[in-house]
Amino acid sequence: VIADLYRYIFGIEPVARALDQIHIPENGPRRAIEPYLAARVRDAILKDPTTGELDVQVSVEGNNILLRGEVRSVEHKNATERVAAATAPGYNIVSHLRVAELTEPEGTEAVG
Amino acid sequence: VIRVAAAGDVHFDARSRGRMARPLAHLASRADMLLLAGDLTQTGKAHEGQVLADELRDAPLPVVAVLGNHDFHADEELEIGAALREAGVTVLDREVAILELAAGRVGIVGATGFGGGFSGACATDFGEPEMKAFVRHTAEHASFIRRALRELETDYKIVLMHYSPVADTLHGEKREIYPFLGSYLLGEAVDDGGADLVFHGHAHSGVEKGVTPGGIPVRNVAQPVIRHVFNIYTLDKQGIVRPAEGGAPESKHMESGP
């Protein structure tokens, strides 16, 4: 009814009809907005039960997901890269993650 | 002199087995206690807490811990605490532990703490219920710390928390996230109550050494900061800071900041 009124008053097809004709593929390739994707990957790395890593910085450059920071073991590094890949399918994972080495302290500090 | 080994953010999970037990075996001759400043687990699951509990079960010295934000993530903090206590660890949730050592009695005031920020950029108890709840949670922890320190009558007083009481030890972190890393309310409570030393964790990109505005040394012992399984600190009675009349402590610790 609204479309008919619009046509009657203005003598043209309503804009909504024109928009209907624009095809937006539901599953077609759609570029993610980089800051949102980076945040989503970081969130997944933090929340995934196999990772839970807080010290991983994530950035998106073109088709690459860059991972930087430090994790506690090779297993954690591998898991982090896996979660990033699963969260951003179609992107390359470029990992600069380092594995932390913790040693026993040699000395003590006198405080006070 | 008392010798305190401390670490935070050990972030244990199933892949961490063996990381603590071996260094602990060497610690008996070097320290009188081990303090753990929260984030004992990686994702807050009870089974992760159990891995750490198994590591600490045969510890050759008293172990005292507080929980961190990671330990609350899966709503299994009670199970984590229970596993650790069953293994002989003293887990403090706004509680006090007293250790009797040959060198004197040591009071450890333990609370996770919470965020809110620091002077000039902090959350206030105003507005939406969610914001007020955020700030009041920190205030409750601060209130406990102040009261516990004032009531403690031990030779040494140590505060163990997860969140930071000062901005000093956060240098290196993004300033935008300081309100999520600690609160001046915690530092104010420590200064009001009087203490010898404060340990915290949580700020992985921060620095180890800081001091409260009242002059009490603060150490950020998060493992990514200290780069060791733990660090060891010594304290002697000369270093005790007692609350002055009116609440503010004397500033006997003259250490500079980081």
Side-chain angles (χ1 to χ4, degrees), chain B residues 191-213:
Chain B
D191 277 338
D192 278 353
D196 297 300
L197 180 56
V198 182
F199 291 110
H200 75 87
H202 193 43
H204 293 196
S205 298
V207 295
E208 182 189 4
K209 297 182 183 180
V211 64
T212 66

Side-chain angles (χ1 to χ4, degrees), chain A residues 50-55 70 72-73 75-76 79 102-112, chain B residues 11 13 15 19 23 26 30 42 70 204 217 219 223 227-230 232-235 253 255:
Chain A
T50 66
T51 51
E53 299 290 345
L54 259 180
D55 296 334
E70 202 166 74
R72 289 161 301 137
S73 69
E75 292 84 359
H76 289 95
L102 296 178
T103 58
E104 293 180 46
E106 291 178 5
T108 62
E109 181 200 350
V111 181
Chain B
H11 289 277
D13 63 16
R15 292 166 289 198
R19 283 169 182 256
H26 305 146
R30 302 186 63 193
Q42 180 74 332
H70 277 237
H204 293 196
R219 294 293 179 267
Q223 281 187 336
R227 316 295 300 176
H228 292 122
V229 181
F230 38 70
I232 303 172
Y233 305 87
T234 61
L235 270 175
H253 294 278
E255 279 194 334

Side-chain angles (χ1 to χ4, degrees), chain A residues 80-92:
Chain A
T80 301
E81 291 161 1
R82 237 183 353 258
V83 170
T87 311
Y91 284 79
N92 304 315

